[in-house]
């Protein structure tokens, strides 16, 4: 029997789970940290490294106390984080600023410049990240920081992704040259790939802005998959966490990729990690490029497979915003949604409240709800938003399938599917596929699996998954609801591409509102009398 700690840094809190190699998860604790936003600048979203490390210590000690496990018994610790969440540091790896969190969208113009220049020179790397460089990704965020923080440029030594920064901190690493960098993080968000000697050429970067001169060299180092070791827990942080010094810390990764591992992903599965946003993860032994996705990266999910990432920039955030505007909560608004029928609201809601991550990769978009009348309620909008995120997910899965990604099974993971059965049923109906849901929250279980691997408890990821992953239950599509969504999906798809692209080809949308009314009227006629 081996006990390890799996850590998941989310947008608002860190979760630490103790995983027993035989029993699976045996205890979980979490601790919150603030997310810094400004009303006058809604694109800004930052977090303090110090706040996060304090929360990690708090959650680790809490789970040890909760389970009565002595810290000396924990054999390894592994961690995943949000991303691309970027922190500039000095020569001693001390932060020069807060993290530019994944949901910080200030780097819109920088991302557009990178995309335009990449296509102008025929840069191969841009094709591997879907053809559009995102404002959510590393080079755009770093360039924005360099442009807007001139007083700190002379102390800038390198930039680190969140997962690499935390691993280096825990291991007591104080030199950029000694940092082990995550293939997952750098491959999906930083145009990195060993096929072209790591990063794009220096002349490409400096042609975007001379401020990027030398950055390629500053980002150099050892790039590893998560079956390799980033370092060993330092005495200082062992004391802070209440663990034993010297235990291994595997190379980290992004939360969604390890959530997929913790959800028992295998080739042919697509995992929807549904939380604040949605990350959609797949993996394949052989993969081709997929336009509009967040990267096709060898070794990013499972070291032996190519990882494919896509997603929605907001999901739970949309639900929360609808509830907040109505002076309610998501839980309160959700009460009664189980009686809603497919299409009954007459609303069609596009999930662009925080821009579009995939497949348009457009930060300039905003939430759109079509079909309002004077009697609609916030509860109606919430149901339409669930339908809308499901439609958006279908667009992404179809794009992936068109480019050779197998979609045999759909797994709904993350925090929301365990709390919202209506969402799982709507997704099954819209996708017209069975949706599998873990029997419990798999968040941080993927970290536990890589910790078990680092501790030598299992020889392979598959063996660890078989031992500790939660069972999956199946939500079958309702045939009648699926038929309704087959009528609504073309309307959504037409609106998505017509409104989502600045120079979209003209398309007739004149039938959209009448069709929404027709489908809603049909749903009401078929509803049981109450």
């Amino acid at each position: 029997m081996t006990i390890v700690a799996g850590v998941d840094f989310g947008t608002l809190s860190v979760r630490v789970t103790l995983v027993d190699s035989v029993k699976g998860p045996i205890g979980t604790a979490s601790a919150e940290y603030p997310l810094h936003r400004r009303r006058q600048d809604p694109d800004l979203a930052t977090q303090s490294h110090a706040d996060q490390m304090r929360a990690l210590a708090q959650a680790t000690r809490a789970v040890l106390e909760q389970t009565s496990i002595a810290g000396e018994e924990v054999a390894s610790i592994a961690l995943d984080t949000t991303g691309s969440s970027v922190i500039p540091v000095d020569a001693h790896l001390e932060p020069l600023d807060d993290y530019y969190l994944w949901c910080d969208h200030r780097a819109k113009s920088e991302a557009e410049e990178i995309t335009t220049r990449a296509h102008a020179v025929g840069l191969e790397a841009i094709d591997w990240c879907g053809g559009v460089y995102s404002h959510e990704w590393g080079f755009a965020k770093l360039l924005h920081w360099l442009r807007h923080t001139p007083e700190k440029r002379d102390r800038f030594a390198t930039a680190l992704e969140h997962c690499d920064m935390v691993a280096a901190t825990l291991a007591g690493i104080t030199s950029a040259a000694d940092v082990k960098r995550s293939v997952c993080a750098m491959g999906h968000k930083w145009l990195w790939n060993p096929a072209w000697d790591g990063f794009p050429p220096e002349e490409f970067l400096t042609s975007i802005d001379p401020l990027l001169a030398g950055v390629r060299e500053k980002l150099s180092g050892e790039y590893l998959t998560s079956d390799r070791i980033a370092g060993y827990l330092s005495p200082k942080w062992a004391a802070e966490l209440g663990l034993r010094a010297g235990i291994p810390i595997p190379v980290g990764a992004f939360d969604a990729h390890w959530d997929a591992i913790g959800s028992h992903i295998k080739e042919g599965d697509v995992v929807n990690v549904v939380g604040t946003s949605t990350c959609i993860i797949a993996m394949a032994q052989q993969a081709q490029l997929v336009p509009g996705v967040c990267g096709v990266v060898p070794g990013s999910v499972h070291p032996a497979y190519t990882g494919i990432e896509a997603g929605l920039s907001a999901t739970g955030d949309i639900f929360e915003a609808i509830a907040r505007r109505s002076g309610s909560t998501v839980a309160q608004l959700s009460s009664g949604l189980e009686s809603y029928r497919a299409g009954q609201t007459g609303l069609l809601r596009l999930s662009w409240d925080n821009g579009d991550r995939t497949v348009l990769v457009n930060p300039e978009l905003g939430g759109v709800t079509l079909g309002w009348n004077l009697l609609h309620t916030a509860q109606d909008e919430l149901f339409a938003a669930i339908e809308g995120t499901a439609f958006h997910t279908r667009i992404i899965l179809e794009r992936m399938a068109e480019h050779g990604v197998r979609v045999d099974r759909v797994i709904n993971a993350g925090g929301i599917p365990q709390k919202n059965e209506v969402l799982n049923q709507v997704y099954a109906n819209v996708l017209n596929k069975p949706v599998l849901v873990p029997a419990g929250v798999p968040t941080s279980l993927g970290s536990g699996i890589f910790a078990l691997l680092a501790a030598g408890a299992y020889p392979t990821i598959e063996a660890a998954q078989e031992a500790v992953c939660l069972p999956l239950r199946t939500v079958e599509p309702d045939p009648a609801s699926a038929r309704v969504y087959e009528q609504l999906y073309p309307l959504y798809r037409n609106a998505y591409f017509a409104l989502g692209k600045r120079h979209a080809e003209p398309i007739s949308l004149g039938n959209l509102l009448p069709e929404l009314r027709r489908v809603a009227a049909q749903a009401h006629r078929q509803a049981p009398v109450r």
Side-chain angles (χ1 to χ4, degrees):
M1 180 186 75
T2 303
I3 296 174
V4 299
V7 179
D8 173 86
F9 282 91
T11 304
L12 298 174
S13 64
V14 61
R15 174 193 293 264
V16 181
T17 298
L18 294 185
V19 180
D20 184 299
S21 60
V22 177
K23 300 176 183 177
I26 56 174
T28 296
S30 62
E32 296 181 352
Y33 33 71
L35 170 61
H36 306 300
R37 285 193 176 275
R38 294 178 190 159
R39 189 173 184 84
Q40 66 272 27
D41 185 3
D43 287 331
L44 181 144
T46 66
Q47 276 176 343
S48 159
H49 177 64
D51 286 345
Q52 291 181 334
M53 298 308 292
R54 278 194 293 270
L56 173 60
Q58 180 184 339
T60 305
R61 288 187 172 276
V63 75
L64 292 172
E65 181 178 355
Q66 174 198 123
T67 57
S68 300
I69 298 292
E72 290 289 318
E73 296 182 55
V74 177
S76 66
I77 182 170
L79 53 105
D80 63 49
T81 66
T82 63
S84 186
S85 293
V86 178
I87 190 164
V89 297
D90 67 14
H92 303 291
L93 298 195
E94 289 296 324
L96 293 173
D97 222 321
D98 282 352
Y99 286 99
Y100 270 53
L101 210 61
W102 67 272
C103 51
D104 187 303
H105 290 176
R106 286 175 290 169
K108 296 191 292 287
S109 63
E110 286 77 10
E112 187 173 347
E113 290 171 51
I114 293 170
T115 300
T116 300
R117 185 62 184 158
H119 286 293
V121 302
L123 186 75
E124 182 183 1
I126 197 69
D127 297 325
W128 283 78
C129 63
V132 182
Y133 199 77
S134 171
H135 54 288
E136 292 188 2
W137 299 351
F139 272 119
K141 293 175 186 287
L142 175 58
L143 181 54
H144 184 276
W145 183 83
L146 289 169
R147 285 175 171 175
H148 293 84
T149 320
E151 72 280 5
K152 297 181 182 180
R153 286 182 204 148
D154 61 338
R155 290 187 286 145
F156 171 69
T158 191
L160 294 174
E161 277 289 342
H162 190 183
C163 58
D164 296 333
M165 179 66 176
V166 177
T169 300
L170 291 178
I173 295 171
T174 58
S175 169
D178 296 328
V179 174
K180 308 295 190 265
R181 294 185 186 261
S182 166
V183 160
C184 174
M186 304 307 285
H188 281 288
K189 314 297 185 184
W190 288 83
L191 301 172
W192 180 89
N193 194 305
W196 48 79
D197 191 29
F199 293 107
E202 175 81 359
E203 56 268 26
F204 168 75
L205 297 174
T206 55
S207 71
I208 298 166
D209 193 312
L211 286 174
L212 291 175
V215 165
R216 191 181 194 276
E217 179 62 28
K218 290 176 178 178
L219 293 172
S220 65
E222 199 170 3
Y223 285 71
L224 301 170
T225 51
S226 293
D227 55 343
R228 304 287 296 279
I229 301 300
Y232 299 87
L233 189 62
S234 68
K236 174 184 184 300
W237 279 99
E240 293 281 348
L241 303 181
L243 301 179
R244 171 166 49 91
I247 61 174
I249 307 165
V251 174
F254 288 151
D255 46 6
H257 298 70
W258 279 10
D259 279 351
I261 292 291
S263 301
H264 214 158
I265 189 174
K266 59 184 181 181
E267 188 173 17
D269 292 344
V270 171
V271 179
N272 298 321
V273 184
V274 186
T276 306
S277 66
T278 294
C279 282
I280 298 174
I281 303 295
M283 64 186 199
Q285 287 188 337
Q286 293 183 332
Q288 57 182 288
L289 304 182
V290 185
V293 307
C294 306
V296 178
V297 179
S300 67
V301 179
H302 186 301
Y305 293 82
T306 294
I308 303 104
E309 178 194 350
L312 283 64
S313 290
T315 305
D317 269 352
I318 294 175
F319 307 157
E320 292 287 348
I322 292 169
R324 185 173 62 252
R325 287 193 294 266
S326 70
S328 184
T329 67
V330 173
Q332 290 169 340
L333 282 185
S334 296
S335 178
L337 286 186
E338 63 279 356
S339 67
Y340 274 55
R341 301 175 69 88
Q344 80 164 50
T345 67
L347 298 175
L348 191 71
R349 198 183 193 290
L350 296 161
S351 55
W352 291 334
D353 300 53
N354 199 26
D356 184 284
R357 178 182 293 165
T358 312
V359 294
L360 300 174
V361 198
N362 188 346
E364 297 183 322
L365 303 176
V368 178
T369 305
L370 299 165
W372 286 110
N373 65 39
L374 298 177
L375 298 179
H376 277 120
T377 66
Q379 190 173 47
D380 294 333
E381 186 185 6
L382 177 60
F383 188 75
I386 293 171
E387 292 177 317
T389 60
F391 285 135
H392 192 166
T393 299
R394 179 168 169 176
I395 283 177
I396 294 168
L397 298 192
E398 288 184 354
R399 173 67 61 88
M400 292 167 69
E402 287 166 5
H403 291 270
V405 179
R406 281 172 50 194
V407 185
D408 300 337
R409 302 194 308 173
V410 176
I411 300 173
N412 270 7
I416 290 179
Q418 281 70 33
K419 299 180 290 187
N420 194 321
E421 193 60 18
V422 169
L423 179 139
N424 295 322
Q425 188 63 62
V426 169
Y427 275 47
N429 296 340
V430 168
L431 301 176
N432 201 14
K433 287 178 177 289
V435 168
L436 305 178
V437 184
V441 179
T443 303
S444 70
L445 184 53
S447 298
I449 287 171
F450 279 98
L452 288 168
L453 212 64
Y458 289 102
T460 65
I461 290 170
E462 289 78 8
Q465 285 178 311
E466 287 296 331
V468 304
C469 279
L470 300 164
L472 300 170
R473 61 183 179 85
T474 303
V475 179
E476 296 285 351
D478 170 63
S481 298
R483 287 193 293 271
V484 173
Y485 286 131
E486 286 300 321
Q487 300 172 58
L488 291 176
Y489 177 63
L491 303 178
Y492 184 94
R493 184 178 173 84
N494 285 344
Y496 177 89
F497 287 106
L499 298 177
K501 297 193 294 185
R502 185 182 290 269
H503 303 294
E505 294 182 6
I507 185 171
S508 173
L509 295 176
N511 71 327
L512 193 153
L513 294 175
E515 278 296 291
L516 290 179
R517 292 173 67 93
R518 181 190 66 78
V519 170
Q522 184 181 48
H524 285 295
R525 283 196 301 271
Q526 295 173 350
V529 177
R530 286 188 267 184

